[in-house]
């Protein structure tokens, strides 16, 4: 009897062990399958980040892009610079800093107090945290990222502070604000210079799969930097033209080291 009970428990344990095994698949930022080794090599670079999605039977590890350096094709550059110069009267001979907001909401849809949102690894749900200290932000839940949610007044004041802050760099740069969709934000009433991304012109140029951008730094020669997630350098250093070549060189060196292990 004891022997039968032992084998029954062993049998159940084996079934549980087998069912508990999870296959793990690895993908790059373009949703192509890659090896485990290449995934971890790539996720260790500053412009990449590894994100894990997990179910009972499957684990997916996927590369997300933090930032990229690149260069506009000649046709894109000509069209874009003509648009910026004629429609928005911007000086395209200077470094252009574009701040991009995906969605502008109506006043009633903003939170009543400043808060922090935590996103899980699937980035499909969030938890609103009240009075949660920033240094302890990710202690109690599995977190993929977090986001500050500001009240309407702070959004408006943030824009004005941004404009004032960039006056210190007006000899070298121009700053312009775009949005993807306006759901009732009173731009004209608040006298804000926020422009629509008509026909998703910007988004079509700079968007990559499953990623949205917030900052674009565009040089007069068409070279650009796009911020998708985490920033490697301090913002003030990043927008200074004198740092452009060295920061881009760091990025290209990482790309070179990545290509050597493929």
């Amino acid at each position: 009897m004891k022997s039968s009970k032992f084998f029954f428990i062993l049998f159940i344990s084996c079934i549980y062990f087998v069912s508990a095994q999870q296959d793990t698949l690895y993908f790059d930022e373009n949703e192509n399958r890659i090896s485990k080794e290449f995934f971890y090599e790539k996720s260790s670079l500053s412009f990449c980040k590894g994100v894990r999605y997990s179910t009972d039977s499957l684990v997916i590890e996927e590369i997300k892009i933090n930032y990229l350096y690149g260069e506009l094709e000649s046709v894109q550059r000509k069209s874009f610079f003509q648009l910026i110069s004629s429609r928005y009267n911007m000086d395209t001979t200077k470094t252009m800093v574009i701040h991009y907001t995906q969605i502008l909401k109506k006043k009633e849809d903003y939170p009543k107090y400043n808060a922090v949102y935590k996103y899980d690894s699937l980035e499909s749900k969030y938890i609103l945290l009240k009075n949660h200290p920033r240094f302890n932000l990710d202690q109690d839940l599995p977190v993929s990222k977090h986001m500050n949610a500001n009240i309407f007044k702070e959004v408006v004041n943030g824009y004005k502070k941004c404009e004032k802050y960039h006056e210190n760099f007006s000899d070298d740069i121009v700053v312009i604000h775009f949005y993807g969709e306006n759901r009732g934000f009173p731009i004209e009433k608040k006298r804000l210079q926020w422009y629509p991304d008509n026909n998703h012109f910007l988004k079509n140029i700079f968007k990559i799969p499953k990623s949205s951008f917030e900052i674009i730094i565009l040089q007069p020669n068409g070279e650009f930097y796009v911020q998708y997630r985490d920033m490697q350098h301090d913002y003030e250093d990043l927008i200074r033209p004198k740092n452009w070549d060295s920061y881009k060189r760091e990025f290209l060196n990482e790309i070179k080291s990545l290509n050597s292990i493929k």
Side-chain angles (χ1 to χ4, degrees):
M1 185 70 176
K2 289 183 178 180
S3 177
S4 298
K5 185 176 181 180
F6 169 79
F7 283 111
F8 176 78
I9 294 174
L10 180 62
F11 175 73
I12 294 298
S13 299
C14 289
I15 292 177
Y16 176 79
F17 178 79
V18 171
S19 63
Q21 299 302 298
Q22 294 176 301
D23 291 329
T24 302
L25 303 178
Y26 301 90
F27 295 89
D28 66 12
E29 68 278 8
N30 296 313
E31 301 181 336
N32 297 317
R33 285 279 300 275
I34 56 177
S35 68
K36 176 180 178 180
E37 293 73 22
F38 186 59
F39 173 86
Y40 283 107
E41 287 283 355
K42 194 166 186 176
S43 62
S44 68
L45 302 175
S46 66
F47 69 94
C48 295
K49 181 176 184 178
V51 176
R52 172 176 292 188
Y53 307 100
S54 180
T55 66
D56 291 340
S57 59
L58 183 65
V59 174
I60 294 178
E61 299 208 36
E62 187 174 58
I63 293 293
K64 297 287 188 179
I65 297 297
N66 290 328
Y67 63 89
L68 286 176
Y69 284 86
E71 185 172 356
L72 293 178
E73 297 178 359
S74 58
V75 175
Q76 287 180 323
R77 178 182 176 277
K78 183 179 180 180
S79 298
F80 185 78
F81 278 55
Q82 285 179 344
L83 172 71
I84 293 297
S85 178
S86 61
R87 181 173 296 180
Y88 308 116
N89 196 31
M90 292 290 172
D91 186 354
T92 56
T93 65
K94 295 182 179 181
T95 298
M96 191 179 308
V97 178
I98 298 170
H99 292 169
Y100 195 99
T101 301
Q102 302 295 330
I103 297 174
L104 290 172
K105 300 176 290 188
K106 60 184 179 181
K107 182 177 180 180
E108 296 77 13
D109 289 340
Y110 284 89
K112 295 181 179 180
Y113 52 85
N114 292 333
V116 175
Y117 288 84
K118 271 188 176 181
Y119 288 76
D120 66 10
S121 62
L122 295 175
E123 300 185 4
S124 59
K125 64 180 180 180
Y126 58 82
I127 297 175
L128 180 61
L129 303 173
K130 299 179 182 179
N131 303 319
H132 200 103
R134 293 192 181 200
F135 64 85
N136 197 30
L137 183 66
D138 299 341
Q139 178 174 303
D140 58 339
L141 289 171
V143 171
S144 169
K145 65 179 181 179
H146 69 272
M147 181 185 73
N148 295 324
N150 294 323
I151 61 175
F152 175 79
K153 183 178 179 180
E154 286 296 324
V155 174
V156 175
N157 288 340
Y159 167 84
K160 294 178 179 179
K161 289 177 182 177
C162 175
E163 289 285 295
K164 187 171 182 61
Y165 169 82
H166 287 91
E167 289 177 0
N168 299 322
F169 307 93
S170 59
D171 290 341
D172 300 311
I173 73 169
V174 292
V175 63
I176 183 169
H177 294 76
F178 278 94
Y179 63 86
E181 179 184 356
N182 188 349
R183 297 179 180 175
F185 194 98
I187 293 175
E188 294 182 2
K189 183 178 179 181
K190 294 297 179 179
R191 291 178 294 183
L192 307 179
Q193 295 296 311
W194 234 323
Y195 303 106
D197 180 18
N198 293 319
N199 300 316
H200 298 298
F201 182 67
L202 277 171
K203 186 174 288 188
N204 291 335
I205 294 176
F206 298 105
K207 184 174 173 57
I208 58 177
K210 295 186 178 181
S211 296
S212 57
F213 53 84
E214 298 177 351
I215 299 172
I216 302 168
I217 302 174
L218 181 61
Q219 302 295 344
N221 64 359
E223 292 182 357
F224 63 80
Y225 164 95
V226 187
Q227 180 71 45
Y228 297 99
R229 298 172 71 92
D230 299 331
M231 184 178 291
Q232 182 183 14
H233 299 289
D234 179 77
Y235 176 78
E236 185 170 318
D237 290 335
L238 191 64
I239 64 175
R240 292 181 186 274
K242 67 178 183 180
N243 295 325
W244 182 263
D245 288 339
S246 61
Y247 289 168
K248 182 181 177 182
R249 192 180 306 115
E250 290 177 17
F251 171 78
L252 293 178
N253 286 337
E254 286 198 313
I255 292 290
K256 186 177 179 180
S257 67
L258 187 65
N259 289 336
S260 68
I261 63 173
K262 283 187 177 182

